[in-house]
Amino acid sequence: MTLKVGIPRALLYYYYLPLWRTFFEALGLEVVISRPTTKTILEAGLQNSGDDVCLPVRLAFGHVLDLKDRVDVLFLPRLVSIARREYICPKFLGFPDMVRHGISGLPPLIDPNLNLYHRDSPYPFFFALGRNFTSNRLAIYLAYRRAVHTQARYVQLLEKGLFPEQALAVLYQGVAEGREPGGGGPAVAVIGHPYNIYDPYISMNLLSRLARNGVRVCSADNLPETLVREQAARLPKHLFWSLGQRMIGAAWHYLQSPDVDGIIHVASFACGPDSLTGELISREVRRRGKPFLNLTLDEHSAEAGVVTRLEAFLDMMERRQFLPAGESVQ
Amino acid sequence: MKVTFPHMGHMWICLAAMLEYLGVEVVVPPPTSKRTLTLGARHAPEFACLPLKLNLGNFIEAAERGADTILMAGGCGPCRFGYYAQVEHAILEDLGYNYRLVVMEPPQRHVGELLSKIKYITGHSSWWEVIRGIRFGYQKARMVDELERQAHYLRPRESHRGSTDKAFQRALQEIIPVKHPRDLPKAAERARKIMAQVAIKPRPVLRVGIVGEIFTLLEPFANHDLERKLGYLGVQADRSIYLSEWINDHLFLGLVRGLRSRREACRAAPPYLNHFVGGHGQETVGSTVIYARQGYDGVIQLLPFTCMPEIVAHSVLPGLSNELDIPTLTITVDEQSGEAGLVTRLEAFVDLLARKRGVVV
Ligand code: SF4
């Protein structure tokens, strides 16, 4: 029987799934991914995590519960740092401990530290990970190589303009690469954490809703890493959050880009890093006067409210096309 | 150049001592008040944590008194504190305040980086003077901590309600005006004497450790004067981090020997929290374990709303509290948190501890 390893469809799933999945499969394991977010999954998460924990982490609890009885081991890497001198958010550093103390009856957790704060190569992480399943060093190395290769293809697809689900479908379901060209409508950059904007349930179908309205949508993940970093480097001090880097860098880029007509910033209610990066972004946008919408998600956000605000924002962008250039509409 | 800095409990005493000793003109912001909070909260991002809002209020009020340079600490994440200065500066700029910003980042390599920042502010002082200035400020911090510890001991035992606080304020007044290190020992003697005169009655007291986010721990305005309230409820409080310990850990890289340090606290945190999580999250968990081992009656965790490291710590505390049989109470503060609710919760907690111990307080 092949060992089943569970990966929650939460947190950095949208960044790293190909890397992780390919690695496990190359080692002969079966990968089980939690089901797409539903009300049930979210509610289970809310019940099993503390009140003051943010929505994305509570949702991740829900995905862990969804996997709990269906897998032999759970993969919950401790993501300390994914880039030099950077972190994600303190909760990612504590996540395995929070789960361990918050949910009983779990299968064994595999939680090696991914810490690239002082180094560049993630190989030690994969080596430690692989050692849980095999003592064959060569097999681990080859699995790692293959994983890195698949991840690179994934990133290529994103930079061509695909969104994670589309790119994953290309990689794993043999769907053709083409992306439906958006309508002739305005272009909007959606800036937010991957677990917020790409989870259709949590974002209340934000991306497809925009697409249905003829809007061409882009996100930080459609931009090459180097470009995002160059832009973020204009901050007065190196920003030590990797996700914040991506959001600020992308916002700065799209702000200057004449092809992008408006910006939507998506934040989690009470998210620490978002509270500061969002502030920097909205101050900069106000100075430049591009249409801007700030959406804050929490477990109580009502779909109707979001839809109304979105419509108002799209209307405003349309009206703005008739305004003299440079006039600011908020 | 007129230098100001954010308030954090009694930190201003040691900072002002150091800077004035080095000939720098200092503008101490007015004590943090409701007005400070209102000003800060009006201009800060909604979900910024309380310390940022209060800092911002301090800076606006200090500008009204003529300050033009901000001196504050920085950090390299993952908690928000490391980016406070930059965001606060951007907000102040948009509000039309032209502050110069000097951020003391935690020394990555050696204490020299810290010295050179201070030297920048003082301009002409020699290295030797700068070191003496830092030492002077640090000695004052040690003295203030000593007095606070005594106050913690005396408050639940005092014969006349309020006499400890009066003595403490008078004792501080001996320390604050001292301008030169050579005058400090005498002032310290006078301060100790004042504290020694507080009359006490022998009575059973409970011991409670206070853990959590450093600013909330040190700033009485932010924690609604928690230590005094506990004292009046018959509790001898111990704070898991005192100012001088924080300075030693974060600015001197633990160079001063013989002080309680974060390292022990972090070592005690596993298996509950196996990794640092920024801020003082791991210390919070570890200190709770240590208090349990030392037979404390309970632990109170303090955190500002949305504080990430403390939220992680909070989520493992219930399990720890069960296993080690030490009651814990978590208090979250933000600009809305009211005094009345807090008092009720404290009373209930202290009642529970008293019943558990079988004492009447
Ligand atoms: S970055 Fe914010 S939303 Fe994401 S996990 Fe951390 S606190 Fe929560």
Side-chain angles (χ1 to χ4, degrees):
Chain A
M1 258 222 354
T2 43
L3 202 70
K4 284 189 191 142
V5 39
I7 301 182
R9 194 186 290 265
L11 301 178
L12 293 195
Y13 163 88
Y14 295 99
Y15 274 178
Y16 288 134
L17 181 75
L19 191 63
W20 295 335
R21 176 170 169 175
T22 310
F23 181 75
F24 288 128
E25 288 180 347
L27 288 180
L29 302 162
E30 184 185 336
V31 169
V32 180
I33 297 166
S34 58
R35 289 167 276 222
T37 306
T38 57
K39 192 164 186 238
T40 324
I41 290 184
L42 176 60
E43 251 151 35
L46 294 177
Q47 268 162 29
N48 287 274
S49 55
D51 284 339
D52 45 4
V53 181
C54 61
L55 180 64
V57 170
R58 302 185 81 178
L59 177 66
F61 269 72
H63 282 279
V64 168
L65 285 160
D66 182 63
L67 289 168
K68 184 173 117 50
D69 302 318
R70 299 195 284 135
V71 296
D72 303 308
V73 295
L74 257 174
F75 177 56
L76 295 186
R78 191 190 297 276
L79 302 171
V80 176
S81 164
I82 56 171
R84 251 176 196 273
R85 303 209 157 275
E86 284 172 26
Y87 296 102
I88 302 174
C89 143
K91 288 172 208 168
F92 281 69
L93 278 74
F95 187 62
D97 296 311
M98 293 166 89
V99 168
R100 202 176 270 122
H101 294 283
I103 302 177
S104 47
L106 286 173
L109 299 189
I110 309 266
D111 62 345
N113 294 354
L114 176 62
N115 189 351
L116 303 185
Y117 195 88
H118 290 299
R119 69 167 68 168
D120 290 317
S121 167
Y123 187 64
F125 165 82
F126 281 96
F127 184 71
L129 180 58
R131 289 298 291 249
N132 286 295
F133 307 105
T134 172
S135 51
N136 183 340
R137 286 158 190 261
L138 182 63
I140 297 178
Y141 181 69
L142 293 177
Y144 168 72
R145 288 283 300 274
R146 192 182 298 175
V148 169
H149 180 74
T150 314
Q151 181 72 13
R153 275 190 54 212
Y154 176 66
V155 170
Q156 252 174 22
L157 291 169
L158 297 179
E159 286 173 14
K160 276 188 185 163
L162 270 63
F163 285 133
E165 284 303 346
Q166 300 163 321
L168 291 175
V170 172
L171 287 184
Y172 294 108
Q173 285 147 39
V175 174
E177 266 183 40
R179 182 192 181 201
E180 312 104 69
V188 168
V190 175
I191 307 290
H193 291 170
Y195 42 80
N196 286 330
I197 61 177
Y198 301 129
D199 187 311
Y201 185 85
I202 291 302
S203 72
M204 289 172 276
N205 296 310
L206 178 65
L207 299 185
S208 54
R209 207 181 283 279
L210 286 167
R212 254 186 284 130
N213 277 288
V215 175
R216 288 168 291 139
V217 193
C218 49
S219 75
D221 304 302
N222 302 136
L223 300 174
E225 178 81 11
T226 45
L227 185 149
V228 167
R229 289 193 169 270
E230 252 163 48
Q231 291 293 330
R234 289 168 37 209
L235 286 170
K237 170 183 175 177
H238 173 74
L239 191 64
F240 44 72
W241 296 306
S242 297
L243 305 191
Q245 283 265 343
R246 297 197 61 79
M247 298 207 284
I248 296 246
W252 272 207
H253 169 81
Y254 287 131
L255 260 175
Q256 301 162 58
S257 154
D259 307 333
V260 169
D261 306 297
I263 296 194
I264 300 181
H265 177 252
V266 181
S268 303
F269 177 85
C271 165
D274 277 355
S275 70
L276 297 196
T277 51
E279 178 76 7
L280 295 172
I281 291 174
S282 66
R283 278 179 188 272
E284 186 73 13
V285 181
R286 242 179 276 152
R287 288 191 195 124
R288 306 230 185 180
K290 257 202 193 183
F292 181 66
L293 173 65
N294 191 31
L295 282 182
T296 303
L297 306 172
D298 75 358
E299 59 265 40
H300 311 295
S301 348
E303 182 140 5
V306 171
V307 173
T308 320
R309 296 190 57 207
L310 210 54
E311 276 167 3
F313 173 71
L314 295 177
D315 278 355
M316 191 245 297
M317 275 204 315
E318 207 159 280
R319 262 183 290 125
R320 197 186 139 90
Q321 304 205 308
F322 305 102
L323 285 177
E327 199 140 315
S328 132
V329 193
Q330 280 285 313
Chain B
M1 179 154 46
K2 292 184 177 172
V3 179
T4 193
F5 37 76
H7 271 303
M8 181 166 83
H10 294 111
M11 184 180 74
W12 68 274
I13 297 176
C14 86
L15 271 178
M18 173 190 88
L19 293 169
E20 279 169 355
Y21 176 78
L22 292 170
V24 179
E25 199 175 338
V26 171
V27 178
V28 178
T32 303
S33 66
K34 273 258 153 21
R35 177 170 187 261
T36 318
L37 177 56
T38 313
L39 283 172
R42 186 183 308 150
H43 301 294
E46 183 185 357
F47 293 122
C49 30
L50 189 67
L52 187 147
K53 295 176 182 175
L54 292 178
N55 280 190
L56 194 63
N58 288 151
F59 295 148
I60 295 176
E61 291 186 310
E64 291 166 356
R65 299 194 171 185
D68 58 21
T69 304
I70 290 172
L71 174 67
M72 68 178 290
C76 46
C79 119
R80 264 172 292 187
F81 179 69
Y83 227 78
Y84 265 29
Q86 287 69 25
V87 172
E88 288 166 351
H89 196 233
I91 299 173
L92 289 166
E93 249 179 13
D94 283 357
L95 287 173
Y97 296 103
N98 286 315
Y99 262 123
R100 188 172 8 192
L101 185 64
V102 182
V103 188
M104 311 228 270
E105 301 291 349
Q108 301 268 351
R109 290 182 297 274
H110 51 78
V111 189
E113 293 174 40
L114 181 76
L115 292 178
S116 59
K117 282 277 167 75
I118 295 178
K119 211 160 171 264
Y120 165 79
I121 289 200
T122 60
H124 50 269
S125 306
S126 72
W127 286 106
W128 179 234
E129 275 175 312
V130 170
I131 291 172
R132 293 232 301 211
I134 294 178
R135 237 191 79 165
F136 181 43
Y138 180 70
Q139 282 168 340
K140 279 205 179 184
R142 290 286 291 260
M143 198 52 223
V144 171
D145 286 348
E146 183 188 323
L147 296 175
E148 277 203 309
R149 281 202 166 96
Q150 259 169 21
H152 289 157
Y153 177 85
L154 294 170
R155 235 178 244 126
R157 297 176 171 89
E158 64 191 8
S159 309
H160 307 287
R161 161 78 48 110
S163 53
T164 305
D165 287 320
K166 266 194 222 113
F168 179 58
Q169 288 311 324
R170 274 177 44 222
L172 282 183
Q173 285 315 315
E174 296 293 338
I175 305 297
I176 293 168
V178 175
K179 295 273 178 266
H180 196 280
R182 72 169 170 258
D183 301 327
L184 201 53
K186 284 235 170 69
E189 266 330 297
R190 290 195 299 273
R192 289 191 187 108
K193 246 193 217 121
I194 295 174
M195 296 305 281
Q197 280 160 10
V198 175
I200 55 173
K201 266 199 247 149
R203 56 162 72 109
V205 298
L206 294 165
R207 288 192 307 158
V208 167
I210 308 178
V211 301
E213 188 271 337
I214 180 74
F215 178 89
T216 331
L217 230 67
L218 293 186
E219 175 55 56
F221 179 83
N223 62 38
H224 300 281
D225 241 332
L226 178 74
E227 288 160 3
R228 173 182 307 151
K229 288 198 169 77
L230 285 173
Y232 289 171
L233 289 171
V235 172
Q236 179 181 335
D238 182 54
R239 204 191 289 151
S240 57
I241 315 168
Y242 285 82
L243 181 60
S244 55
E245 294 163 349
W246 178 76
I247 296 176
N248 184 36
D249 273 342
H250 293 270
L251 297 178
F252 301 167
L253 301 176
L255 274 162
V256 183
R257 302 276 150 192
L259 280 195
R260 182 168 62 171
S261 117
R262 54 191 303 237
R263 262 168 255 151
E264 308 148 40
C266 292
R267 261 202 302 271
Y272 305 101
L273 189 51
N274 296 309
H275 200 278
F276 84 93
V277 291
H280 289 84
Q282 206 182 13
E283 288 91 324
T284 290
V285 174
S287 300
T288 307
V289 172
I290 292 175
Y291 282 130
R293 282 188 200 140
Q294 291 174 344
Y296 270 69
D297 296 292
V299 168
I300 295 180
Q301 182 200 16
L302 276 171
L303 67 142
F305 178 58
T306 77
C307 169
M308 305 170 286
E310 294 300 328
I311 287 174
V312 176
H314 180 207
S315 69
V316 304
L317 279 187
L320 189 172
S321 156
N322 263 340
E323 268 176 49
L324 302 185
D325 191 29
I326 182 155
T328 61
L329 171 70
T330 294
I331 296 173
T332 309
V333 295
D334 71 353
E335 65 250 52
Q336 267 104 40
S337 62
E339 185 113 15
L342 174 67
V343 173
T344 324
R345 291 186 64 204
L346 281 183
E347 283 169 356
F349 186 63
V350 172
D351 259 7
L352 175 126
L353 302 186
R355 248 179 291 127
K356 191 161 173 269
R357 257 274 294 279
V359 298
V360 187
V361 287

